[in-house]
Structures are given as C-alpha cells and as structure tokens.
Amino acid sequence: MDVLLFVLLFPRAIAGPIVAIVNPWVLAQYRQPTGTYTTAADGTRTPIYLPDVDLLVQRQALSPSDLRQIEGLNLGGEKAALYVQGDIKGTVRGEQRGGDLFVMPDGTTWLVVQALENWGTTAGWTKVAVVKQ
C-alpha cells in the first residue's frame, strides 16, 4: 500500500505512537453488561456483567465535534474521550444495549455513553465518549 494512502486511511496508526509519548496507554478493566439484572426486594435492579476484560485505553479531552455529537444526551459531570484498542459499541437503545463501564487504574469508573468513531473491525480501535461515575 502506498504510504500516503496508508496515512490518509489510517491516521491513528501514525499519530497514536506519537501521542502515547506524552499520554501513555493504560490497562483498564472493561465491564460489559449481559442485559440481565438481579432484582432486590425493594424493586431496585442491579445489572449483571460479563467477566472483566483488560483493554488498553488512552483518555483524552473531547473535541468540539465530539461535544456536538453528544450535546443532546443531557449529560452532567466529568466527560472524556477514550481511545480503546478493541471494538466497543456503546449504547444502542434498539438492541437494549448499554451500560458498558471502564474501570481505570486509579479506581475511577467511566460509563460509555456513545461510540464516537468505531474502527474496531478494520483498524482495531474505537473512540468512545465516557462520563465519570
């Protein structure tokens, strides 16, 4: 493949290692809900998760275009973008899918609210918007 074509098609492959010099990838635990719940006597439901999976992630600020993409979600609190080495779908209401979590090395938990860019099946990474829990 021509180098220029590669850079145009896969810019993250070029930029990723350079950004990692100042903002390294870290190992986080990814928790994906099964879609089932346990229900307590008072009626509260707690989601059941698949076993945690270790994934490399890189946290960055949301760009202005990312903020425009999520502005209608009415999110409060600290928001960020995670670049994830993997294929993460995020919330898909029609499939009753959502509630994916990332537990970072510092112990903070982040809820995936939207997949911003999904190149998981082609380039091996996904960019998701997350909110600190």
Side-chain angles (χ1 to χ4, degrees):
M1 178 184 297
D2 181 293
V3 173
L4 179 58
L5 180 60
F6 179 81
V7 171
L8 292 174
L9 292 176
F10 303 104
R12 185 87 186 134
I14 303 299
I18 296 167
V19 172
I21 292 170
V22 294
N23 186 11
W25 291 86
V26 297
L27 197 61
Q29 281 70 55
Y30 172 60
R31 289 190 183 145
Q32 184 178 14
T34 62
T36 59
Y37 298 85
T38 57
T39 305
D42 66 358
T44 57
R45 299 186 330 168
T46 304
I48 298 172
Y49 292 89
L50 296 170
D52 288 0
V53 176
D54 290 338
L55 291 178
L56 285 172
V57 302
Q58 187 182 74
R59 191 173 118 204
Q60 294 186 16
L62 290 163
S63 71
S65 71
D66 296 337
L67 291 169
R68 279 191 298 278
Q69 269 188 272
I70 66 170
E71 72 183 18
L73 298 179
N74 194 24
L75 301 172
E78 188 176 346
K79 297 174 263 312
L82 284 184
Y83 285 89
V84 182
Q85 291 188 343
D87 184 17
I88 308 300
K89 301 290 189 224
T91 301
V92 182
R93 295 203 189 280
E95 297 174 11
Q96 296 183 350
R97 186 185 179 332
D100 296 12
L101 300 172
F102 280 94
V103 180
M104 303 301 281
D106 65 1
T108 58
T109 301
W110 295 79
L111 172 68
V112 176
V113 293
Q114 185 171 347
L116 299 169
E117 295 182 54
N118 190 325
W119 298 98
T121 57
T122 55
W125 62 273
T126 305
K127 180 181 180 184
V128 294
V130 292
V131 176
K132 189 175 180 182
Q133 299 301 287

